[in-house]
Amino acid sequence: MSASLPGPPEAPAEQAVDAGLPASALEPPDHDIRAVLAITPFRRLWLALGLSSLGDWLGLLATTALASTLADTSSGKLLAVSGVFILRLAPAVLFGPLAGVVADRLSRRLVLVYGDVLRFVLFCTIPLVGTLWWLYVATVLVEIVGLFWMPAKDATVPNLVPRKRLEAANQLSLVVTYGSAPVAALLFAGLTLASGVLDGVWSHLEGNPTYLAMYANALTFLVSALVIWRLDFPQTTNHTAKQESILRTAVEGWKYIGSTPLVRGLVLGMLGAFAAGGLVIGLAPAFVSALGAGSPGYGTLFAAVFLGMALGMWLAPRLLAEFSRRRLFGLSIAAAGCWLILLSAIPNIALAVFFTIGLGSCAGAAWVTGYTLLGLEVGDDIRGRTFAFVQSMVRVVLISVLALGPIVAAGLSQLLNLPATLHINDDVSLTYTGVMATFLLAGFGAIAIGYVSYRQMDDRRGIPLVRDLAQAIAQRQLQDAPVRRAAYPGRFVAFEGGDGAGKSTQVRLLGEWLTEHGYTPLLTHEPGATEAGVKMREVLLHGGELTPRAEALLFAADRAHHVETVVRPALEAGEVVVTDRFSDSSVAYQGTGRDLGTAEVAQLSRWATQGLVPDLTIVLDVEPDIGRLRRDDQHDRLEQEPDEFHARVRERFLALARRAPSRYLVVDAALGPQQIHREVLDRLTALLPESATERAAREEREAAELAAREQAERDRQRHAEVEAQVIAERQARRRTEEAAREQARQQAQLEAAARAAAEQAEAAEAAARAAAERAAADRAAAAAAAERAAEEQAAREQAARERAARERAARERAAREEAARQDATQAAPAQTRPMRAVGGDQRPGAGDDATAPLPASATQPLPLEEEIFNLGEREQR
């Protein structure tokens, strides 16, 4: 960062580049939203948070609407919707502490990604199952997953953005968290209307207009998981011992919250702020009913709470940028209680909306301030448990408020005999109910909580609150600075701190170091660095009595002359200006110590210096009593002020450093001079330009490096030439070897071709021989077949002849037999022989003379075949 004049943030990076400096030389304000969104990891996480928040609100609307449709009776519908709300809040009691331990012990990136994926799956199952019992189960599971998701997200944000931009980052986070509610309502209405068009295409949606919204809600979580998966999380050191039990880890987190006054006050205040807003929402229906506003009044009051919260989150840190955040936290809670009292005291619907916006604004301011302070003050190793405890207790408080609010209101109505009407005049009357009495009681409770938080966290004790608030408002009004000028080529370093902190010693040590390293330093101080300044210093420190305003004007006059004649010319010449005190001393000593108002004194110094601010301000922090001991008996008019005066001055220096940590370095002045000097150099070396000595050394080093590179290049070329020659020879040998291998391969191919041709010729000859053999075999077989056929034909013919002969013989035999029978018939009477006696041969002719003549057929010779074929027959006969 270079010395420059403050002003509107038009193109700071371009101005820095034009001046030959890095783009970070001119930084945007700490609350600049564009600067926060320019941080890629945070921007992606913020988009994922927006999608998850949109899904949460859309899921709440869809689940309550679906619960109402799944119930049968009118009372059942009311109980179903109430059950959804209760089940969304109840798991925090059991799983809140465990969620904090998980956020501190496991990878937050994995917790966020898996949490979104699980919610995507659970919301998808609700319309797929389509029953009321699963709606309740899924609601509980979704809420449990959300309890793990939110602490991991809240604990991650402080690691993604610089400390000075954490408040703006929390503003964006909370705005997108609550600002997505109306967007979700519009989206829910649009999706339910679209469901009536799409149910003809997808029958699953028919009669279930909330299903499409449920699927869209699930999709938002899936997209959020994909965004976070691509996010690079910074590496952090987790000091939580892995071997510790979950219960012990959770108990240690609770002990830390209870034993740390700041954290305890933050948690107490945040719960009180949330309880105030929740009480209004829980009792709003009965409240507007008593005012005769009905449902429209309830909707208006509901919207007023969230509108006020958004305004408070967005505007409070900007309007009170110079006000202590610790004081702002307790003050916001107490102010919220005051708005609750007004809401209870004036029962008018128009004024009630106005009071509710004020209440929401104060609650939102307390909420964003508390989140920022928790992120800044709580270590990373315990931050997850802290945020989980806060979120769990918020849900417990909300459940308690929603459950006990109506009971308390009813009890107060009976106890105080309410409602009661107060007649102001004939035209104006005010009616008070138990709800209004509850608001009144809650308002006093919020004031008490705010007071306790304020007392535990006050970091500006001894400074009246009203005056401090007025100065912060005035500082806001006096922020118009001169137009920013181009950065100077030189650098401007200022040492600030209480008297006796050792500033002069550090200025001297830094000057010696700058000279040794080739810089041209200008060591100066205020007041009294010029001839005119010497005279003014005498008046200021050792002169007569001066009024505080005269003292402030004399310091401003000395500074104006000092800057115009010494500081600015040296910066324009490129020198490094190191001053012992500058504008912050006037703000601390005259603005706070003399109680003139830091805003007016700061504006006076800006006018005197034309807006010049140091590139780096080193605050040497010293306790007032230690500074007094270091000064011994040497006391000027300011040093002789009491320790209370120097305590206020010290606190102002620290407050200035807290508000712009990028331009300040706070060092404990109790350290040794050399150790302080080393810390200063560690921070300063990144801001200093290159000195002449460093430039000469760099040029010499670059020349040596260039010569070395050239020599290396020549060596490389020679080596490359040798290597190329070797490669060429290797390639020549490779080509020769490849040619020989190719020739051998071709010869082998020729030989293989010759062998193949010979084998083919042999195969052809073998085939011819086989064909001839097959032909000869075929001819022989044909001849044999013909011979067999001839033989068979001859045999058939012979058989036919023999058959014909047999038939002729048979015919002839038959003819002869016939003739014989006829002859026998004719000769029968003459040839009759007597029969043999009993016991003799009974056949005719038996016993007759053996010489009896035989028939002619018996003496006739038979043919050969007849003889053969009739042999058996004759034997039988």
Side-chain angles (χ1 to χ4, degrees):
M1 181 182 295
S2 60
S4 57
L5 295 173
E10 291 95 353
E14 290 78 0
Q15 293 181 5
V17 172
D18 292 341
L21 300 172
S24 59
L26 299 176
E27 295 186 356
D30 293 349
H31 287 280
D32 188 77
I33 299 302
R34 292 172 298 179
V36 180
L37 292 178
I39 304 172
T40 302
F42 172 76
R43 183 175 67 251
R44 291 179 179 176
L45 183 63
W46 181 71
L47 291 174
L49 173 63
L51 290 171
S52 296
S53 299
L54 180 65
D56 279 333
W57 291 111
L58 188 60
L60 177 62
L61 294 170
T63 51
T64 52
L66 182 60
S68 179
T69 59
L70 293 176
D72 297 330
T73 63
S74 58
S75 60
K77 294 179 183 296
L78 294 176
L79 292 175
V81 174
S82 299
V84 171
F85 280 106
I86 294 174
L87 290 176
R88 285 181 67 92
L89 298 173
V93 179
L94 297 176
F95 293 94
L98 178 62
V101 175
V102 170
D104 284 336
R105 297 180 67 168
L106 298 184
S107 170
R108 290 168 185 165
R109 178 170 179 262
L110 295 181
V111 171
L112 294 176
V113 171
Y114 289 153
D116 280 336
V117 172
L118 285 174
R119 288 189 284 186
F120 162 74
V121 174
L122 288 171
F123 275 115
C124 284
T125 61
I126 292 177
L128 292 176
V129 177
T131 59
L132 185 60
W133 71 268
W134 178 248
L135 172 65
Y136 285 159
V137 172
T139 298
V140 173
L141 295 177
V142 166
E143 186 61 25
I144 292 173
V145 174
L147 288 173
F148 289 87
W149 196 93
M150 286 302 295
K153 185 273 298 180
D154 291 333
T156 301
V157 171
N159 295 330
L160 300 180
V161 298
R163 289 175 59 88
K164 63 179 181 178
R165 303 201 186 280
L166 181 58
E167 189 169 58
N170 284 333
Q171 284 181 286
L172 285 172
S173 299
L174 293 175
V175 166
V176 76
T177 298
Y178 295 100
S180 57
V183 178
L186 294 176
L187 182 60
F188 176 75
L191 290 173
T192 53
L193 293 176
S195 178
V197 178
L198 298 176
D199 57 3
V201 180
W202 190 10
S203 60
H204 178 60
L205 302 178
E206 186 175 357
N208 301 291
T210 59
Y211 281 6
L212 184 60
M214 198 74 71
Y215 289 126
N217 167 37
L219 186 61
T220 61
F221 291 107
L222 181 61
V223 176
S224 173
L226 294 176
V227 172
I228 297 177
W229 180 256
R230 297 177 61 247
L231 179 63
D232 294 329
F233 277 64
Q235 295 294 330
T236 57
T237 302
N238 193 340
H239 300 289
T240 302
K242 298 297 183 182
Q243 64 271 16
E244 289 183 358
S245 65
I246 292 178
L247 179 60
R248 179 178 178 83
T249 305
V251 170
E252 287 185 355
W254 300 336
K255 287 182 178 179
Y256 171 79
I257 295 172
S259 60
T260 308
L262 174 61
V263 179
R264 185 172 62 243
L266 283 171
V267 172
L268 179 63
M270 294 172 73
L271 296 180
F274 208 90
L279 188 66
V280 173
I281 294 175
L283 296 179
F287 179 71
V288 297
S289 177
L291 298 180
S295 297
Y298 171 67
T300 304
L301 213 62
F302 185 87
V305 172
F306 285 97
L307 176 61
M309 290 186 68
L311 290 175
M313 294 175 184
W314 188 257
L315 295 178
R318 295 170 174 270
L319 295 177
L320 298 174
E322 299 297 324
F323 191 64
S324 167
R325 289 296 178 263
R326 299 189 182 190
R327 284 191 161 191
L328 176 61
F329 180 73
L331 183 63
S332 299
I333 300 172
C338 294
W339 286 111
L340 261 178
I341 292 174
L342 289 175
L343 186 64
S344 66
I346 308 177
N348 178 273
I349 187 60
L351 293 176
V353 173
F354 175 73
F355 296 153
T356 304
I357 293 176
L359 169 64
S361 300
C362 294
W367 191 253
V368 69
T369 304
Y371 252 72
T372 302
L373 290 174
L374 281 179
L376 292 174
E377 301 295 338
V378 180
D380 183 73
D381 57 341
I382 202 171
R383 192 181 297 140
R385 279 167 285 176
T386 303
F387 278 114
F389 179 82
V390 171
Q391 291 162 4
S392 301
M393 291 307 299
V394 161
R395 287 168 168 79
V396 172
V397 168
L398 185 57
I399 292 176
S400 302
V401 167
L402 293 177
L404 298 179
I407 298 175
V408 173
L412 290 176
S413 297
Q414 294 181 355
L415 180 64
L416 302 177
N417 196 21
L418 299 175
T421 302
L422 176 64
H423 296 279
I424 306 299
N425 52 40
D426 295 338
D427 300 324
V428 179
S429 62
L430 301 176
T431 300
Y432 295 95
T433 64
V435 172
M436 299 172 189
T438 306
F439 284 168
L440 181 65
L441 185 62
F444 284 113
I447 292 175
I449 292 175
Y451 176 77
V452 173
S453 298
Y454 178 88
R455 295 293 297 175
Q456 288 190 352
M457 300 171 55
D458 186 15
D459 57 348
R460 303 195 65 191
R461 299 184 185 275
I463 300 176
L465 174 62
V466 176
R467 184 181 304 167
D468 194 21
L469 183 61
Q471 289 179 359
I473 296 174
Q475 181 74 17
R476 177 67 186 177
Q477 296 172 349
L478 295 174
Q479 286 298 318
D480 296 332
V483 178
R484 183 185 298 273
R485 292 173 51 182
Y488 296 110
R491 296 294 184 271
F492 187 20
V493 181
F495 281 88
E496 299 282 9
D499 295 302
K503 297 181 297 299
S504 301
T505 302
Q506 293 303 316
V507 169
R508 177 180 54 80
L509 291 175
L510 182 57
E512 294 174 356
W513 183 89
L514 292 171
T515 303
E516 291 174 0
H517 288 77
Y519 293 97
T520 305
L522 172 64
L523 307 183
T524 184
H525 61 276
E526 288 186 0
T530 63
E531 184 178 350
V534 171
K535 298 177 182 179
M536 284 185 279
R537 177 184 178 89
E538 183 65 25
V539 174
L540 282 167
L541 301 182
H542 305 287
E545 191 69 26
L546 284 177
T547 63
R549 291 185 180 274
E551 181 180 273
L553 291 172
L554 281 174
F555 273 112
D558 173 77
R559 184 168 298 118
H561 188 61
H562 180 221
V563 168
E564 191 66 27
T565 59
V566 176
V567 177
R568 185 170 287 114
L571 292 175
E572 291 173 348
E575 299 178 9
V576 179
V577 179
V578 183
T579 181
D580 182 352
R581 297 198 182 283
F582 195 61
S583 299
D584 290 344
S585 289
S586 292
V587 175
Y589 279 89
Q590 282 74 51
T592 301
R594 300 296 190 199
D595 205 12
L596 293 178
T598 57
E600 291 84 352
V601 175
Q603 177 66 10
L604 179 62
S605 293
R606 281 196 296 270
W607 179 82
T609 62
Q610 299 183 47
L612 179 67
V613 293
D615 297 306
L616 177 63
T617 299
I618 297 103
V619 178
L620 300 180
D621 183 33
V622 62
E623 294 283 351
D625 53 348
I626 296 177
R628 186 178 65 253
L629 294 175
R630 289 182 177 182
R631 294 192 301 269
D632 295 329
D633 294 332
Q634 300 176 4
H635 300 291
D636 56 32
R637 200 161 53 84
L638 292 175
E639 292 174 343
Q640 66 185 3
E641 293 291 338
D643 287 350
E644 182 182 353
F645 173 89
H646 290 286
R648 294 199 303 270
V649 170
R650 178 199 179 204
E651 183 54 41
R652 175 50 58 185
F653 278 129
L654 296 177
L656 291 172
R658 282 195 299 267
R659 291 170 187 173
S662 59
R663 194 173 61 83
Y664 284 84
L665 172 65
V666 179
V667 183
D668 186 2
L671 300 175
Q674 291 300 327
Q675 186 174 354
I676 297 175
H677 180 61
R678 285 194 297 270
E679 291 193 16
V680 171
L681 292 181
D682 290 341
R683 179 68 176 273
L684 182 61
T685 49
L687 301 177
L688 291 176
E690 189 178 42
S691 67
T693 303
E694 291 175 342
R695 186 182 304 109
R698 177 179 56 80
E699 292 174 353
E700 182 179 356
R701 185 173 60 255
E702 290 176 351
E705 292 175 354
L706 179 59
R709 285 196 299 270
E710 291 175 351
Q711 181 63 35
E713 180 65 21
R714 289 192 294 269
D715 294 340
R716 188 190 64 79
Q717 290 178 355
R718 285 195 299 269
H719 178 72
E721 291 173 357
V722 174
E723 187 177 357
Q725 184 177 0
V726 172
I727 292 174
E729 294 176 355
R730 188 183 300 118
Q731 289 177 348
R733 288 195 303 270
R734 186 182 301 112
R735 285 193 296 269
T736 302
E737 294 173 356
E738 289 178 353
R741 285 195 298 270
E742 180 64 20
Q743 186 177 2
R745 185 181 61 82
Q746 292 177 357
Q747 183 65 27
Q749 289 179 349
L750 292 175
E751 294 176 356
R755 286 195 300 272
E759 291 173 356
Q760 289 178 356
E762 291 177 358
E765 292 176 0
R769 286 194 300 271
E773 292 175 355
R774 283 195 302 273
D778 292 341
R779 286 193 300 271
E787 185 177 357
R788 285 194 301 273
E791 292 177 352
E792 291 176 356
Q793 182 66 27
R796 284 194 297 273
E797 291 176 355
Q798 180 66 29
R801 286 193 299 270
E802 291 176 354
R803 204 169 35 253
R806 286 194 300 273
E807 289 176 355
R808 285 193 304 270
R811 286 194 299 269
E812 289 176 358
R813 187 172 56 253
R816 288 192 299 271
E817 291 177 354
E818 181 64 26
R821 281 193 301 270
Q822 291 178 0
D823 291 342
T825 303
Q826 294 176 1
Q831 296 178 355
T832 302
R833 295 183 177 94
M835 298 294 292
R836 292 178 62 91
V838 178
D841 191 355
Q842 300 296 322
R843 293 177 298 177
D848 291 342
D849 190 1
T851 61
L854 295 173
S857 62
T859 63
Q860 190 73 19
L862 297 175
L864 179 61
E865 63 271 17
E866 187 177 91
E867 183 72 21
I868 293 173
F869 288 107
N870 293 329
L871 178 61
E873 182 180 355
R874 287 198 302 271
E875 290 178 351
Q876 293 177 0
R877 288 196 296 265

